Amino acid sequence: MSYPVNRPRRLRRTAKIRDMVRETWLRPDDFIYPMFVIPGKGKSQPIKSMPGINRLSPDLAAREAKAAFGEGIPAVLLFGIPDSKDAVGSSALKDDGVVQNAVRAIKDTVPHMTVITDICMCEYTDHGHCGVLTEGIVDNDKTLPLLAEQAVSHAQAGADIVAPSDMMDGRVSAIRSAMDAAGFEDRAIMAYSAKYASAFYGPFREAADSAPQFGDRRGYQMDPPNVREALREVELDIEEGADIVMVKPALAYLDVILQVRSMTDLPLAAYNVSGEYSMVKKAGEAGLIDEKRVILEILTGIKRAGADLIITYHAREAVKLL
Ligand code: PBG
């Protein structure tokens, strides 16, 4: 009986009416732009698996951060690729480490850019695992003090937010207490709370040279079929003091984003990861899709599912499309 009285098409008739009833809007402040930093000066290395993304030395990272800030992007997330790796990831903790230097360079050049740093060992260990090993097993409790020290070191360099992506149990509270003890109680933690053992990280591992040299990450990252476990991970991170929680990857996990959204009032971030990015870029290059529209549709979908913040390699192109 409702037809023909009810005609939803009336509100789709003009672009202006569609705008009036639009439920989800993307804005530049939604985006966090991830960047890969390397030691040196004047260095820019294209990442083959991620068209349009380069590894940059701190000076060039600062220049790119400045351009991004000018376009309206409020935050960057830094991943470091050091010159040397060892079993315990010592290069992660150095005062003049690659991320520490990049944080200082960015803060010097664009003081109002929010600088977020990745906290994890995988870019710094020669075996590529996210923590230190005891008899070939990633040792949770031995890794915690290293993560805490890395976070304090990044805060000292000027990081506003630290983002642990290692998936060790108890890392949020270890980092929180170490940062508080060091006088950084004002710096926030964005926890990769529900981070899945995903094949979508493939291009990142080339970019960060961080593929595990043996085995995989299933012993610490989450099993993709699980969602109740994700809620438990989020709950634990909140108890431990996380300020922002995260779901990662985004596209195959929109239901997880939705459920996390409904269980917490904390800001929720979603990571639109490297594999999600590269699939779009490669399909665009091949002329299979209208790349610009697909980018906006994906980012809108992630926001509609419930994410407040979207970490995305598309950030710079996306702000130009809004
Ligand atoms: C680990 C880390 C990874 C990503 C962010 N932090 C890779 C992994 O867990 O193997 C992936 C990000 C992406 O794919 O864009 N430090």
Side-chain angles (χ1 to χ4, degrees):
M1 272 313 271
S2 72
Y3 174 83
V5 172
N6 284 300
R7 291 178 184 268
R9 287 184 55 183
R10 287 180 197 123
L11 297 184
R12 297 177 202 141
R13 197 168 54 85
T14 72
K16 283 286 173 224
I17 298 176
R18 289 194 294 274
D19 278 358
M20 287 168 67
V21 299
R22 179 159 299 160
E23 299 172 35
T24 306
W25 290 92
L26 290 168
R27 30 168 222 148
D29 284 318
D30 298 333
F31 299 129
I32 297 170
Y33 185 50
M35 297 177 68
F36 298 96
V37 294
I38 51 176
K41 230 185 144 195
K43 284 201 190 142
S44 171
Q45 307 170 342
I47 299 163
K48 269 220 308 278
S49 59
M50 301 178 70
I53 305 292
N54 302 294
R55 300 194 191 102
L56 301 171
S57 54
D59 54 328
L60 297 189
R63 200 161 82 185
E64 175 147 8
K66 187 170 182 190
F69 194 76
E71 291 156 2
I73 293 168
V76 290
L77 169 60
L78 303 184
F79 294 95
I81 302 116
D83 269 339
S84 67
K85 306 189 184 217
D86 62 21
V88 293
S90 336
S91 53
L93 310 178
K94 292 194 307 199
D95 218 24
D96 63 344
V98 57
V99 165
Q100 290 83 345
N101 285 343
V103 172
R104 281 186 290 261
I106 293 172
K107 281 291 182 184
D108 279 349
T109 312
V110 226
H112 297 295
M113 175 64 92
T114 298
V115 177
I116 311 175
T117 58
D118 184 63
I119 301 299
C120 190
M121 288 292 129
C122 70
E123 299 108 283
Y124 306 92
T125 52
D126 49 14
H127 46 73
H129 277 289
C130 299
V132 293
L133 306 177
T134 300
E135 284 163 23
I137 304 287
V138 177
D139 190 325
N140 194 89
D141 296 13
K142 262 203 206 159
T143 302
L144 295 182
L146 300 177
L147 298 168
E149 199 181 326
Q150 185 185 26
V152 169
S153 168
H154 290 181
Q156 251 149 11
D160 299 288
I161 303 177
V162 294
S165 68
D166 52 281
M167 287 303 276
M168 298 302 115
D169 294 327
R171 77 261 164 89
V172 173
S173 65
I175 291 170
R176 186 70 273 156
S177 24
M179 292 219 299
D180 290 356
F184 295 113
E185 56 286 297
D186 61 341
R187 308 304 166 82
I189 299 176
M190 175 168 79
Y192 286 69
S193 304
K195 175 175 178 180
Y196 288 88
S198 169
F200 286 100
Y201 307 149
F204 174 97
R205 291 182 188 171
E206 185 211 306
D209 184 25
S210 66
Q213 297 305 301
F214 67 90
D216 55 40
R217 303 208 201 291
R218 288 173 224 247
Y220 39 105
Q221 299 182 348
M222 283 186 52
D223 198 22
N226 294 357
V227 64
R228 295 193 305 263
E229 187 187 349
L231 301 181
R232 176 147 192 270
E233 283 281 8
V234 170
E235 210 171 270
L236 292 171
D237 282 355
I238 294 172
E239 275 172 31
E240 291 181 30
D243 301 284
I244 300 172
V245 293
M246 192 201 300
V247 172
K248 175 186 176 184
L251 279 187
Y253 300 87
L254 293 174
D255 59 317
V256 182
I257 295 172
L258 176 69
Q259 292 208 38
V260 171
R261 171 70 296 149
S262 59
M263 71 160 289
T264 176
D265 293 325
L266 285 189
L268 170 59
Y271 200 141
N272 177 215
V273 300
S274 58
E276 299 171 337
Y277 171 83
S278 296
M279 288 196 304
V280 170
K281 299 307 282 184
K282 291 289 180 187
E285 277 172 15
L288 300 174
I289 54 170
D290 179 338
E291 186 180 319
K292 293 186 162 87
R293 287 188 58 203
V294 166
I295 291 170
L296 286 182
E297 196 171 328
I298 285 175
L299 298 174
T300 302
I302 295 169
K303 186 152 187 205
R304 192 186 62 236
D308 303 295
L309 299 167
I310 305 172
I311 302 159
T312 180
Y313 304 95
H314 292 299
R316 289 194 68 189
E317 18 179 23
V319 289
K320 291 177 193 133
L321 301 174
L322 300 183

